[in-house]
Amino acid sequence: MAIEYRITLDDEHDFSYRIELDREYDREVAAQAPKWTRLDHQRCSNCPLSKDDFSHCPAAVDLHRVIEDFQGLPAVKKALVWVRTPEREYTKQVGLDEGLRALLGVIMATSACPVLGRLKPMAQQHLPFASNHEFVLRAVSLYLARQYFNLREGRHADWELRGLVRSFQQLQLVNQAFWQRIHDTCHADSNLKAFLAFFSMASSLTYSLETQLQKIRPLVMSAGEGVEAV
């Protein structure tokens, strides 16, 4: 399975990417990556990887081409973004930062980073240009579906979403370190604004889960309370 992105700025700036959803860490590719992608550069405090097996940060290695392509370009610049997933195609005229947010998010979630890998189920059902409400609804829905299968298969089911909060707290540590990593190589450009938007969406489930749940309540209760499925 793969997701394709094409970002067109003008006649001279057209960028295409193909993201394989099931890919492994490639040591040979990592060896050619820039210094800021090395594992020990602004390493995440919760990174579980061994330097013996990973000389470079898997997510940074996967991202460096995109980071370099858009280095210095203004976030407010308009872009035509075309996305093809295995199920459908999307096209939207957006600010460059919004297009990059979607692209960077799916790359990070499908990297060999075991912490970011918790977002892979969302990447497999990729929804580019998702709003914050859509992000929260999808994250909570996937988590609760997992709890249902845990219950069915004799494991503990976390209906209080405590595990979801803990997972996103771990993602926040990655976000903070990654921000420093990217900040070292980017300066006030579209990459930084795109990362900030991506990190802000993820942080909403850590710091204000109850508030986010109340915002999406009308979406899931619109049929009325107490209505049973037919």
Side-chain angles (χ1 to χ4, degrees):
M1 291 179 61
I3 294 174
E4 297 177 64
Y5 263 78
R6 184 170 65 243
I7 300 178
T8 303
L9 304 182
D10 49 46
D11 292 341
E12 298 180 358
H13 297 87
D14 187 273
F15 306 91
S16 296
Y17 307 93
R18 179 182 173 86
I19 304 102
E20 297 289 344
L21 299 187
D22 294 311
R23 62 184 188 277
E24 298 180 354
Y25 177 74
D26 190 321
R27 291 182 175 82
E28 293 184 3
V29 171
Q32 304 300 317
K35 292 181 179 179
W36 65 267
T37 67
R38 292 191 62 84
L39 188 66
D40 56 5
H41 181 82
Q42 299 290 358
R43 183 173 182 173
C44 304
S45 60
N46 59 336
C47 177
L49 300 177
S50 166
K51 289 194 293 184
D52 294 335
D53 298 322
F54 296 84
S55 60
H56 293 67
C57 166
V61 171
D62 288 347
L63 286 173
H64 83 84
R65 179 193 162 197
V66 179
I67 298 299
E68 291 167 2
D69 282 348
F70 294 96
Q71 176 96 2
L73 290 175
V76 295
K77 192 173 183 67
K78 291 298 181 181
L80 179 64
V81 181
W82 170 85
V83 184
R84 181 163 63 190
T85 71
E87 292 80 20
R88 59 191 63 88
E89 296 183 8
Y90 305 84
T91 304
K92 188 177 182 180
Q93 186 87 19
V94 294
L96 179 55
D97 60 312
E98 184 178 351
L100 279 177
R101 183 196 73 186
L103 174 59
L104 297 173
V106 73
I107 292 175
M108 294 176 74
T110 54
S111 74
C113 168
V115 181
L116 289 169
R118 296 171 186 174
L119 295 174
K120 190 171 183 178
M122 294 183 69
Q124 291 170 329
Q125 308 295 324
H126 185 47
L127 181 63
F129 323 121
S131 67
N132 193 67
H133 284 183
E134 289 170 325
F135 177 82
V136 172
L137 181 60
R138 292 171 69 229
V140 172
S141 298
L142 283 168
Y143 186 81
L144 288 176
R146 184 172 183 176
Q147 304 318 305
Y148 170 77
F149 287 111
N150 281 342
L151 181 66
R152 285 282 302 271
E153 296 167 13
R155 295 185 294 272
H156 171 70
D158 172 29
W159 302 117
E160 299 297 321
L161 305 179
R162 293 189 179 93
L164 180 65
V165 173
R166 287 195 297 270
S167 290
F168 274 86
Q169 287 172 340
Q170 292 299 306
L171 287 167
Q172 275 299 100
L173 295 177
V174 173
N175 290 346
Q176 291 163 8
F178 224 94
W179 173 260
Q180 293 301 321
R181 184 187 291 273
I182 300 302
H183 199 275
D184 286 351
T185 192
C186 302
H187 303 283
D189 61 10
S190 54
N191 287 313
L192 288 176
K193 190 170 182 182
F195 270 103
L196 184 59
F198 175 72
F199 296 163
S200 296
M201 290 179 71
S203 69
S204 66
L205 287 176
T206 302
Y207 298 116
S208 58
L209 175 60
E210 187 57 39
T211 299
Q212 300 303 320
L213 290 175
Q214 289 304 313
K215 288 180 179 178
I216 65 171
R217 188 180 187 278
L219 300 176
V220 298
M221 300 298 288
S222 59
E225 295 187 39
V227 176
E228 295 183 359
V230 178

